[in-house]
Amino acid sequence: MTALTLSTSAAPGLRADAIVVGVAKGSASTSGDLVVAPGAEAVDDAYDGKLAGVLETLGASGAEGEVTKLPAPADFKAPLVVAVGLGEEPEEGTAYDTETLRKAAGVAARALAGTKKAAFALPVADADAIAALGEGVLLGAYSFDVYKENGDAESKNGKAPLAEAALLGGKPRDKEYKAALERAVAVSEELNRARDLVNTPPNDLDPAAFAALARTAAEEHGLKVQVLDEKALVKGGYGGILGVGGGSASTPRLVKLSYTHPDADKHLALVGKGITYDSGGISLKPAGHNETMKCDMAGAAAVFAAVVAAARLGLEVNVTGWLALAENMPSGSAVRPGDVLRMYSGKTVEVLNTDAEGRLVLADALWAASAEEPDALVDVATLTGAMMVALGNRTFGIMANDDELRAAVHETAEEVGEPAWQMPLPEHLRKGMDSPTADIANVGERMGGGLVAGLFLREFIGDGIAWAHLDIAGPAFNEQGPFGYTPKGGTGTAVRTLVRLAERMAADELD
Ligand code: BES
Ligand code: MN
Ligand code: ZN
């Protein structure tokens, strides 16, 4: 991963391969002309104050995502200046918002792949800005090339990721700045680990392999870990996880990761959908719908990353992560449409569609998590195509049995720069899941399918527990081109929301 440093050096004398500056569309007060963003004054001076004009000549507009490269002034040690668009200049007296900085740093870091060292001369108003730039660089420079065998290490995915980034204006001796950067590094490293897990092909990441990684990480970070294997799941009566995992040669697991702080008085429980591959089972998905289904464990990956990040940050809150791991495959031992499963909660479920498997594994994990009576219970799942239809592929849906928790999750997601939207759980959709045979069926009305799934999950939440459900089917896996600090493939969505939620609980900002 890219090495980050805070630097007070001035751009001209810096030994680097490139200097990154920001360029924005001027506000009314600057008559709408292109403006060079604060932080790059020394660079602009070296162009005799004409950098904005030079960039305009080169066709720059200041739009977000735009990259313009130009030769550095002759007396600079660095040969290249990279101008990254910041969108509209903020109004006078206001700073650039953190998400704008995060995205710009991500775009620049990606544009600098193949470069050894870059200095970022972007606007730094406070420690939050440094954190955003740090996250943007680490997340934007990410690449997954474990399986690229052709070429040398450098050229595996085209170019090696940016090796080193110096953040200018970053007060290296200021405690607050240092802490902000350390947090950014811990969260980004874990988020990138979640991306790696999502990108790892399903033949190399089955439930047992995922559980083994959880064990290793738990040892490294002092977490308690408990892994229920198939035998233990049978003994415990986890009918949902066993039903879904029954068709696969790779047996299912339920992993419980616990981070505890001696002074904590709050407990956050996180549950992740961990379908290491979703073929649909006997209700098999057609070709065209199964090529990216290695991503169906993105919820479990996000939960895993968030628990480890909480431990690395030493948060004063207890965080338990439950990973519901299974592979959904068709075979002679697979669950059939028409089968009835007895779930861990004791409820019976008629499985009418084996492709609605996520809710079955989650139901068992949610009930197990409920037994510990956490202060809040949050699940994360690539649960429904319907949520993608509703919200597109960059926004996750938030459903809950508690208005305050739903609003708090939404607010938290906005704060960290993860697009999310609150969705309802309309009572009238519940009866579509009435089953003539069992307590409930695993599918209901097609319309509002994402909400139906949420209503199903709600049946497996313990009494009086505040629960929120994040359907990340849209943003979990980016099939289009990279944008901002988001790469192609696994995105790590929800990790930052979960970590921030744990921090807010530790600070008693949630009740
Ligand atoms: N894993 C899928 C949902 C999904 C689809 C995630 C596309 C990411 C991208 C889930 O298990 C599923 O198959 N859901 C079904 C539910 C239906 C059978 C009620 C769906 O959405 O079609
Ligand atoms: Mn499915
Ligand atoms: Zn699935």
Side-chain angles (χ1 to χ4, degrees):
M1 203 138 12
T2 316
L4 288 181
T5 51
L6 298 178
S7 168
T8 50
S9 307
L14 257 168
R15 279 181 207 287
D17 303 297
I19 313 274
V20 178
V21 302
V23 58
K25 295 176 201 272
S27 59
S29 61
T30 47
S31 59
D33 291 342
L34 218 55
V35 292
V36 176
E41 290 81 1
V43 183
D44 192 21
D45 285 351
Y47 288 98
D48 295 326
K50 295 193 178 101
L51 179 53
V54 172
L55 287 168
E56 202 153 11
T57 308
L58 291 171
S61 72
E64 271 190 18
E66 178 186 86
V67 170
T68 311
K69 295 185 178 180
L70 64 162
D75 55 340
F76 269 46
K77 291 232 162 69
L80 179 72
V81 168
V82 174
V84 59
L86 296 171
E88 307 274 337
E89 179 189 31
E91 287 186 23
E92 246 195 289
T94 34
Y96 283 88
D97 75 69
T98 49
E99 178 63 1
T100 301
L101 297 178
R102 200 179 283 116
K103 284 194 279 192
V107 167
R110 192 171 42 255
L112 285 164
T115 308
K116 287 245 148 47
K117 179 173 178 179
F120 286 68
L122 290 170
V124 175
D126 53 22
D128 286 347
I130 279 295
L133 293 178
E135 287 178 9
V137 169
L138 294 178
L139 300 178
Y142 174 86
S143 91
F144 183 74
D145 51 18
V146 183
Y147 292 85
K148 295 269 188 185
E149 297 293 348
N150 296 322
D152 52 21
E154 296 268 308
S155 60
K156 276 184 169 180
N157 238 350
K159 289 168 178 167
L162 175 65
E164 205 182 326
L167 307 179
L168 306 191
K171 306 192 187 167
R173 269 171 291 281
D174 184 307
K175 261 197 191 148
E176 205 192 336
Y177 278 67
K178 276 203 304 200
L181 190 67
E182 267 170 37
R183 181 194 180 278
V185 170
V187 173
S188 305
E189 281 180 358
E190 293 314 318
L191 193 154
N192 282 339
R193 182 218 294 273
R195 289 173 172 178
D196 279 347
L197 287 170
V198 172
N199 290 329
T200 300
N203 55 334
D204 277 351
L205 190 80
D206 65 6
F210 199 145
L213 290 171
R215 256 191 216 289
T216 309
E219 266 168 41
E220 189 181 339
H221 299 284
L223 304 169
K224 230 181 97 186
V225 62
Q226 189 184 50
V227 179
L228 300 187
D229 62 11
E230 194 181 30
K231 223 174 109 196
L233 290 168
V234 170
K235 205 164 159 224
Y238 293 82
I241 297 174
L242 288 165
V244 173
S248 173
S250 305
T251 55
R253 299 285 187 277
L254 177 62
V255 176
K256 178 187 177 188
L257 280 168
S258 318
Y259 163 67
T260 53
H261 188 286
D263 304 323
D265 53 12
K266 289 272 167 65
H267 178 197
L268 174 63
L270 306 174
V271 171
K273 170 177 173 181
I275 301 298
T276 57
Y277 184 71
D278 182 11
S279 73
I282 298 294
S283 313
L284 194 63
K285 285 181 189 294
H289 291 261
N290 52 21
E291 294 87 343
T292 60
M293 278 305 135
K294 66 177 182 182
C295 82
D296 215 18
M297 35 54 73
V303 166
F304 180 27
V307 178
V308 175
R312 285 181 62 172
L313 299 172
L315 302 185
E316 207 175 303
V317 57
N318 294 335
V319 184
T320 310
W322 300 81
L323 318 179
L325 307 174
E327 187 182 50
N328 188 21
M329 295 290 274
S331 78
S333 59
V335 67
R336 292 161 281 256
D339 278 355
V340 171
L341 300 176
R342 183 171 297 278
M343 310 293 279
Y344 182 56
S345 77
K347 278 195 180 157
T348 55
V349 177
E350 185 178 15
V351 178
L352 293 179
N353 189 323
T354 64
D355 197 11
E357 84 296 340
R359 60 198 77 183
L360 298 172
V361 300
L362 288 169
D364 280 356
L366 285 167
W367 187 254
S370 292
E372 302 194 327
E373 301 191 336
D375 296 290
L377 172 54
V378 179
D379 77 72
V380 188
T382 46
L383 205 59
T384 66
M387 196 55 59
M388 300 177 83
V389 173
L391 296 177
N393 48 26
R394 292 193 187 182
T395 305
F396 61 76
I398 311 167
M399 285 142 276
N401 64 358
D402 181 291
D403 292 347
E404 274 177 34
L405 180 61
R406 189 180 57 236
V409 171
H410 189 196
E411 209 178 272
T412 305
E414 280 194 336
E415 186 190 332
V416 300
E418 294 192 319
W421 202 249
Q422 298 184 45
M423 301 296 276
L425 292 174
E427 294 299 335
H428 72 93
L429 290 175
R430 169 61 184 84
K431 68 175 183 307
M433 290 182 285
D434 283 350
S435 157
T437 316
D439 295 330
I440 190 170
N442 77 328
V443 289
E445 285 182 38
R446 197 171 79 84
M447 295 298 166
L451 320 179
V452 171
L455 283 163
F456 180 91
L457 297 179
R458 193 181 65 175
E459 303 274 322
F460 298 88
I461 307 301
D463 272 352
I465 292 174
W467 155 79
H469 158 56
L470 278 48
D471 190 337
I472 60 166
F477 198 80
N478 177 22
E479 292 187 59
Q480 291 162 352
F483 60 94
Y485 50 86
T486 305
K488 227 178 140 58
T491 63
T493 188
V495 172
R496 289 177 301 130
T497 297
L498 296 180
V499 174
R500 187 76 196 105
L501 207 58
E503 284 177 332
R504 289 184 68 184
M505 199 175 244
D508 257 326
E509 288 169 18
L510 300 178
D511 34 58

Coordinates of all heavy atoms in Angstrom, one line a residue, residues 21-64:
V21 N -1.8 19.4 -7.6 CA -2.5 20.6 -7.2 C -4.0 20.5 -7.5 O -4.4 19.6 -8.3 CB -1.9 21.8 -7.9 CG1 -0.4 22.0 -7.6 CG2 -2.2 21.8 -9.4
G22 N -4.8 21.4 -6.9 CA -6.2 21.3 -7.2 C -6.6 22.5 -8.0 O -6.1 23.6 -7.9
V23 N -7.6 22.3 -8.9 CA -8.1 23.4 -9.7 C -9.7 23.3 -9.7 O -10.2 22.2 -9.7 CB -7.6 23.3 -11.2 CG1 -7.9 21.9 -11.8 CG2 -8.1 24.4 -12.0
A24 N -10.3 24.5 -9.5 CA -11.7 24.5 -9.3 C -12.4 25.5 -10.3 O -11.7 26.4 -10.8 CB -12.1 24.8 -7.9
K25 N -13.7 25.3 -10.4 CA -14.5 26.3 -11.2 C -14.7 27.4 -10.2 O -15.3 27.2 -9.1 CB -15.8 25.7 -11.6 CG -15.8 24.6 -12.6 CD -17.2 24.1 -12.7 CE -17.3 22.6 -13.3 NZ -17.3 22.5 -14.7
G26 N -14.3 28.6 -10.6 CA -14.4 29.8 -9.6 C -15.9 30.1 -9.3 O -16.8 29.8 -10.1
S27 N -16.1 30.6 -8.1 CA -17.4 31.0 -7.7 C -17.7 32.4 -8.3 O -16.8 33.0 -9.0 CB -17.5 31.1 -6.2 OG -16.6 32.0 -5.7
A28 N -18.9 32.9 -8.0 CA -19.3 34.2 -8.6 C -18.2 35.3 -8.3 O -17.9 36.2 -9.1 CB -20.6 34.6 -8.1
S29 N -17.7 35.2 -7.0 CA -16.7 36.3 -6.6 C -15.4 36.3 -7.4 O -14.7 37.3 -7.5 CB -16.4 36.1 -5.1 OG -15.8 34.8 -4.9
T30 N -15.1 35.2 -8.1 CA -13.9 35.2 -8.9 C -14.4 35.1 -10.4 O -13.7 34.6 -11.3 CB -13.0 34.0 -8.6 OG1 -13.8 32.8 -8.6 CG2 -12.3 34.2 -7.4
S31 N -15.6 35.6 -10.6 CA -16.2 35.8 -11.9 C -16.2 34.5 -12.8 O -16.2 34.5 -14.0 CB -15.6 36.9 -12.7 OG -14.2 36.7 -12.9
G32 N -16.3 33.4 -12.0 CA -16.4 32.1 -12.7 C -15.2 31.5 -13.4 O -15.2 30.5 -14.0
D33 N -14.1 32.2 -13.3 CA -12.9 31.7 -13.9 C -12.3 30.6 -13.2 O -12.6 30.3 -12.0 CB -11.8 32.9 -14.0 CG -12.2 34.0 -14.9 OD1 -13.1 33.7 -15.8 OD2 -11.7 35.1 -14.8
L34 N -11.4 29.8 -13.9 CA -10.7 28.7 -13.2 C -9.9 29.2 -12.1 O -9.2 30.3 -12.2 CB -9.8 28.1 -14.3 CG -9.7 26.6 -14.3 CD1 -11.0 25.9 -14.4 CD2 -8.8 26.2 -15.5
V35 N -9.9 28.5 -10.9 CA -9.0 29.0 -9.8 C -8.1 27.8 -9.4 O -8.5 26.7 -9.4 CB -9.8 29.5 -8.6 CG1 -10.5 30.8 -9.0 CG2 -10.8 28.5 -8.1
V36 N -6.9 28.2 -9.0 CA -6.0 27.2 -8.3 C -6.4 27.1 -6.9 O -6.5 28.1 -6.2 CB -4.6 27.6 -8.5 CG1 -3.6 26.6 -7.8 CG2 -4.2 27.6 -10.0
A37 N -6.6 25.9 -6.3 CA -7.1 25.8 -5.0 C -6.0 26.1 -4.0 O -4.8 25.9 -4.3 CB -7.6 24.4 -4.7
P38 N -6.3 26.5 -2.8 CA -5.3 26.8 -1.7 C -4.4 25.5 -1.5 O -4.8 24.4 -1.7 CB -6.1 27.0 -0.5 CG -7.5 27.4 -1.0 CD -7.7 26.8 -2.3
G39 N -3.2 25.8 -1.1 CA -2.2 24.7 -0.9 C -1.2 24.7 -2.0 O -0.1 24.2 -1.9
A40 N -1.6 25.3 -3.2 CA -0.7 25.3 -4.3 C -0.1 26.7 -4.6 O 0.4 26.9 -5.8 CB -1.4 24.7 -5.5
E41 N -0.1 27.5 -3.7 CA 0.4 28.9 -3.9 C 1.8 29.0 -4.4 O 2.1 29.7 -5.4 CB 0.3 29.8 -2.6 CG -1.1 30.1 -2.1 CD -1.8 28.9 -1.4 OE1 -1.1 27.9 -1.2 OE2 -2.9 29.1 -1.0
A42 N 2.7 28.1 -3.8 CA 4.1 28.2 -4.3 C 4.2 27.7 -5.7 O 5.0 28.2 -6.5 CB 4.9 27.3 -3.3
V43 N 3.4 26.7 -6.1 CA 3.4 26.2 -7.5 C 2.9 27.3 -8.4 O 3.6 27.6 -9.4 CB 2.5 24.9 -7.6 CG1 2.6 24.4 -9.0 CG2 2.9 23.9 -6.6
D44 N 1.8 27.9 -8.0 CA 1.3 29.0 -8.9 C 2.3 30.1 -9.0 O 2.5 30.7 -10.1 CB 0.0 29.5 -8.2 CG -0.8 30.4 -9.2 OD1 -0.6 30.3 -10.4 OD2 -1.7 31.2 -8.7
D45 N 2.9 30.5 -7.9 CA 4.0 31.6 -8.0 C 5.0 31.2 -9.0 O 5.5 32.1 -9.7 CB 4.7 31.7 -6.6 CG 3.7 32.4 -5.6 OD1 2.7 32.9 -6.0 OD2 4.1 32.4 -4.4
A46 N 5.4 30.0 -9.0 CA 6.5 29.6 -10.0 C 6.0 29.7 -11.4 O 6.9 29.7 -12.3 CB 6.9 28.1 -9.7
Y47 N 4.7 29.7 -11.6 CA 4.2 30.0 -13.0 C 3.9 31.4 -13.1 O 3.0 31.8 -13.9 CB 3.0 29.1 -13.3 CG 3.2 27.6 -13.5 CD1 3.0 26.7 -12.4 CD2 3.6 27.1 -14.7 CE1 3.1 25.4 -12.6 CE2 3.7 25.7 -14.9 CZ 3.5 24.9 -13.9 OH 3.7 23.5 -14.0
D48 N 4.5 32.3 -12.3 CA 4.2 33.7 -12.3 C 2.7 34.0 -12.0 O 2.1 35.0 -12.6 CB 4.6 34.4 -13.6 CG 6.1 34.3 -13.8 OD1 6.8 34.4 -12.7 OD2 6.6 34.1 -14.9
G49 N 2.1 33.2 -11.2 CA 0.7 33.4 -10.9 C -0.3 33.1 -12.1 O -1.4 33.4 -12.0
K50 N 0.2 32.4 -13.1 CA -0.6 32.1 -14.3 C -1.0 30.7 -14.4 O -1.4 30.3 -15.5 CB 0.2 32.6 -15.5 CG 0.5 34.1 -15.6 CD 1.0 34.5 -16.9 CE 1.2 36.0 -17.0 NZ 2.7 36.4 -16.9
L51 N -0.9 29.9 -13.3 CA -1.2 28.5 -13.5 C -2.6 28.2 -13.9 O -2.9 27.4 -14.8 CB -1.0 27.8 -12.1 CG -1.3 26.3 -12.1 CD1 -0.6 25.5 -13.2 CD2 -0.8 25.7 -10.7
A52 N -3.6 29.0 -13.4 CA -5.0 28.8 -13.8 C -5.1 29.1 -15.3 O -5.8 28.3 -16.0 CB -5.9 29.8 -13.0
G53 N -4.5 30.1 -15.8 CA -4.5 30.4 -17.2 C -3.9 29.3 -18.1 O -4.5 28.9 -19.1
V54 N -2.8 28.8 -17.6 CA -2.1 27.7 -18.3 C -3.0 26.5 -18.4 O -3.2 25.9 -19.5 CB -0.8 27.3 -17.7 CG1 -0.2 26.1 -18.3 CG2 0.2 28.5 -17.7
L55 N -3.7 26.2 -17.3 CA -4.6 25.0 -17.2 C -5.7 25.2 -18.1 O -6.2 24.3 -18.8 CB -5.0 24.8 -15.8 CG -4.0 24.2 -14.8 CD1 -4.4 24.3 -13.4 CD2 -3.6 22.8 -15.2
E56 N -6.2 26.4 -18.2 CA -7.4 26.7 -19.1 C -7.0 26.5 -20.5 O -7.7 25.9 -21.3 CB -7.8 28.2 -18.9 CG -9.3 28.4 -19.3 CD -9.9 29.5 -18.5 OE1 -9.2 30.3 -17.8 OE2 -11.1 29.7 -18.7
T57 N -5.8 27.0 -20.9 CA -5.2 26.8 -22.2 C -5.2 25.3 -22.6 O -5.4 24.9 -23.7 CB -3.8 27.4 -22.4 OG1 -3.9 28.7 -21.9 CG2 -3.3 27.3 -23.8
L58 N -4.8 24.5 -21.6 CA -4.7 23.0 -21.8 C -6.1 22.3 -21.8 O -6.2 21.1 -21.9 CB -3.8 22.4 -20.7 CG -2.4 22.8 -20.8 CD1 -1.6 22.3 -19.5 CD2 -1.7 22.2 -22.0
G59 N -7.2 23.1 -21.6 CA -8.5 22.6 -21.7 C -9.1 22.2 -20.4 O -10.2 21.6 -20.3
A60 N -8.5 22.5 -19.3 CA -9.0 22.2 -17.9 C -10.3 23.0 -17.7 O -10.4 24.1 -18.1 CB -8.0 22.4 -16.8
S61 N -11.2 22.3 -17.0 CA -12.5 23.0 -16.6 C -12.7 23.0 -15.1 O -13.6 23.7 -14.6 CB -13.7 22.3 -17.3 OG -13.9 21.1 -16.6
G62 N -11.9 22.3 -14.4 CA -12.0 22.2 -12.9 C -13.1 21.2 -12.5 O -13.4 21.0 -11.3
A63 N -13.6 20.4 -13.5 CA -14.7 19.4 -13.1 C -14.1 18.3 -12.3 O -12.9 17.9 -12.4 CB -15.3 18.9 -14.4
E64 N -14.9 17.8 -11.4 CA -14.5 16.7 -10.5 C -14.1 15.5 -11.5 O -14.7 15.2 -12.4 CB -15.7 16.2 -9.7 CG -15.8 16.9 -8.4 CD -16.8 16.3 -7.4 OE1 -17.2 15.1 -7.7 OE2 -17.2 16.9 -6.5

